[in-house]
Amino acid sequence: MDSFSYSSMKSMLIQARGSLNSRLSEFEPLVLLLVPLVSLFLAQIIGSVFGVVHEKGLKACLIGFIMGFLKMIPGVQNYIDAEKQKVVDQLQSGSSSKKKNKTEVLPVKGLGVEVLEKMENEKRNDAIWQGKCSGTVYIGGAESEGHFSLINQACSMFAHTNPLHIDVFQSVVRFESEVVAMTAALLGSKETASGGQICGNMTSGGTESIVLAVKSSRDYMKYKKGITRPEMIIPESGHSAYDKAAQYFNIKLWRVPVDKDFRADVKATRRHINRNTIMIVGSAPGFPHGIIDPIEELGQLALSYGICFHVDLCLGGFVLPFARKLGYQIPPFDFSVQGVTSISVDVHKYGLAPKGTSTVLYRNHEIRKHQFVAVTEWSGGLYVSPTIAGSRPGSLVAGAWAAMMSLGEEGYLQNTSKIMEASKRLEEGVREIHELFVIGKPDMTIVAFGSKALDIFEVNDIMSSKGWHLNALQRPNSIHICITLQHVPVVDDFLRDLREAVETVKANPGPITGGLAPIYGAAGKMPDRGMVNELLVSFMDSQY
């Protein structure tokens, strides 16, 4: 019976082959060659189209297609460019006059010590930032006194040093090691749950810390899982540094919505995880609204899928540990949470170190080693570098070490108490203004607020005219202030000016001369995000 079945099958295959050959003989050989190639080409195009639609959404793709078509019409592109330039000119707000007087060639005769006087004159043109800027300057008091003075002296003492030369400047190398160790200790390195291998490096700021964590996670997951088409998932509130890292390292970035409380949506994150996912992200707190993401739940999610999990503590790293000791209800956020593989912490924010100092920390050395770049075939010798920069300013490392050692735990506790109390006072004051609403329930020192009754960007313009420098946000349209020691004595002033600004906009709605409300409002509503992207790039290109 088996022999019969085999013979029958063989006979059927021979007949099918003959029939197929007979039919194909009706076509030209060239056609038979081109049809599968064209079909494969079309399949790739269709696959690419579906991929773009899946990534960007059908609406965005249709808008992009329509705008691309319209730009092909004669005169349309020139009109768009002219309108875009008008917006860029308005955003510059008078900076063009400063560019006219900028120095572009070396002076024939050097200025000598007179250059310091010239620098003082230039500095007088800066905006008044004392107590007036959201975030920006975190040290309290006058610029020439107290902690400011101490940091300036420390930086000056090590201005010539470079930790790249570990055999020469052993002092700053030790300072860096100790800054990393002290920071790690604040974030659970001494707890059993951390694994006892927390390690890291100092960087130039939160963006470099995040970029390095992404790079290390990408290479680590390639080593562990063989992932060659990496993807990462972040909430809408995640910092734009992740977008930068994604562009630099060719990683597909998925931004998922936040939940009704403006925290990372764990279920939405889970739905985006696939075989190419290398990492997920949480913030403690997020920059826009000062709200801590569900770090424990995200950690469990990362553990269950065997992927990396980075926690952005750039803002909270030198506040949350002390706020918890002061009795504030702070959810878990550090290496005590299983699943957390890396953390970024800015020392130059609430650590009160000089600008340009941050740390990136890893759960173990196995992950951290993928951060390093080692070169063995360079004629200049063997080379290895821990961070993006080769040469680094030892003065900033020394300044960070001096800040932490001079303040100590007691100093940070006192500072945290002041800014947390000021933040609660400010939040309560904003909630008392009926035309405004506070976004979510801030966990830390950021208060974001919007309005259903007024154009919040017009309110921001009035605040700007009073000397305040706040951050404009979107989705929803809102503004925020990040409270620092500079704001502790001026909370009442801020609330008074905010109430007056609201009343002004109520009485006289509409943009003020030179205000940016129309631009922010239009950018938020503009469906073609590619055009907004071009606008931002044009503005940045015009600044330098």
Side-chain angles (χ1 to χ4, degrees), residues 355-486:
K355 286 299 178 184
T357 53
S358 178
T359 59
V360 57
L361 305 172
Y362 299 94
R363 183 169 288 275
N364 55 52
H365 293 268
E366 184 180 5
I367 304 173
R368 200 264 295 260
K369 71 180 182 181
H370 292 279
Q371 173 183 294
F372 302 153
V373 173
V375 181
T376 61
E377 306 305 313
W378 179 35
S379 60
L382 300 177
Y383 178 87
V384 62
S385 175
T387 58
I388 292 175
S391 292
R392 292 182 293 150
S395 58
L396 299 183
V397 175
W401 186 86
M404 296 178 71
M405 293 294 288
S406 66
L407 288 167
E409 183 175 333
E410 289 184 357
Y412 284 118
L413 281 169
Q414 292 171 6
N415 291 337
T416 299
S417 177
K418 292 176 183 178
I419 58 175
M420 289 294 284
E421 289 174 5
S423 300
K424 296 305 177 185
R425 281 176 51 216
L426 192 145
E427 178 188 346
E428 291 170 1
V430 173
R431 290 188 186 277
E432 290 174 358
I433 302 175
H434 301 303
E435 294 81 4
L436 304 179
F437 64 88
V438 174
I439 295 180
K441 296 179 180 179
D443 291 301
M444 214 184 82
T445 54
I446 289 176
V447 179
F449 49 93
S451 176
K452 295 179 180 179
L454 307 169
D455 185 332
I456 196 64
F457 296 136
E458 291 180 11
V459 174
N460 190 32
D461 280 345
I462 300 298
M463 292 295 284
S464 296
S465 70
K466 293 175 179 290
W468 296 97
H469 300 267
L470 309 179
N471 291 95
L473 312 174
Q474 60 180 350
R475 300 177 184 176
N477 287 353
S478 50
I479 54 181
H480 88 202
I481 180 169
C482 176
I483 293 90
T484 74
L485 289 173
Q486 287 284 329

Side-chain angles (χ1 to χ4, degrees), residues 29-96:
L30 183 61
V31 173
L32 296 176
L33 178 65
L34 290 177
V35 165
L37 293 176
V38 172
S39 299
L40 181 62
F41 177 69
L42 290 175
Q44 288 180 330
I45 292 177
I46 293 172
S48 298
V49 170
F50 275 106
V52 172
V53 172
H54 175 61
E55 182 176 348
K56 295 185 176 181
L58 180 60
K59 180 181 178 181
C61 289
L62 287 175
I63 291 173
F65 176 78
I66 293 171
M67 290 303 301
F69 176 76
L70 290 175
K71 290 177 182 178
M72 295 174 63
I73 300 175
V76 172
Q77 182 65 61
N78 289 337
Y79 174 78
I80 291 174
D81 289 342
E83 291 301 307
K84 187 167 61 178
Q85 189 57 48
K86 291 180 183 177
V87 176
V88 171
D89 292 342
Q90 189 173 353
L91 285 171
Q92 285 182 310
S93 301
S95 61
S96 57

Side-chain angles (χ1 to χ4, degrees), residues 53-181:
V53 172
H54 175 61
E55 182 176 348
K56 295 185 176 181
L58 180 60
K59 180 181 178 181
C61 289
L62 287 175
I63 291 173
F65 176 78
I66 293 171
M67 290 303 301
F69 176 76
L70 290 175
K71 290 177 182 178
M72 295 174 63
I73 300 175
V76 172
Q77 182 65 61
N78 289 337
Y79 174 78
I80 291 174
D81 289 342
E83 291 301 307
K84 187 167 61 178
Q85 189 57 48
K86 291 180 183 177
V87 176
V88 171
D89 292 342
Q90 189 173 353
L91 285 171
Q92 285 182 310
S93 301
S95 61
S96 57
S97 60
K98 297 177 183 178
K99 292 181 68 173
K100 291 179 181 178
N101 299 320
K102 74 175 184 180
T103 301
E104 295 185 340
V105 295
L106 280 170
V108 176
K109 183 179 180 181
L111 301 180
V113 295
E114 291 180 9
V115 72
L116 298 177
E117 182 180 346
K118 182 174 177 60
M119 294 173 74
E120 286 285 352
N121 291 333
E122 289 293 333
K123 189 175 183 179
R124 293 191 186 99
N125 295 323
D126 292 344
I128 297 174
W129 51 262
Q130 290 84 350
K132 288 286 191 176
C133 297
S134 173
T136 312
V137 179
Y138 291 77
I139 301 172
E143 192 176 6
S144 59
E145 301 172 0
H147 192 75
F148 272 115
S149 178
L150 183 146
I151 295 302
N152 291 339
Q153 290 181 58
C155 289
S156 177
M157 193 183 304
F158 290 87
H160 60 286
T161 64
N162 181 355
L164 177 67
H165 304 286
I166 59 177
D167 57 331
V168 179
F169 303 113
Q170 297 178 30
S171 54
V172 291
V173 173
R174 176 175 174 173
F175 291 157
E176 176 173 5
S177 175
E178 293 183 356
V179 167
V180 169

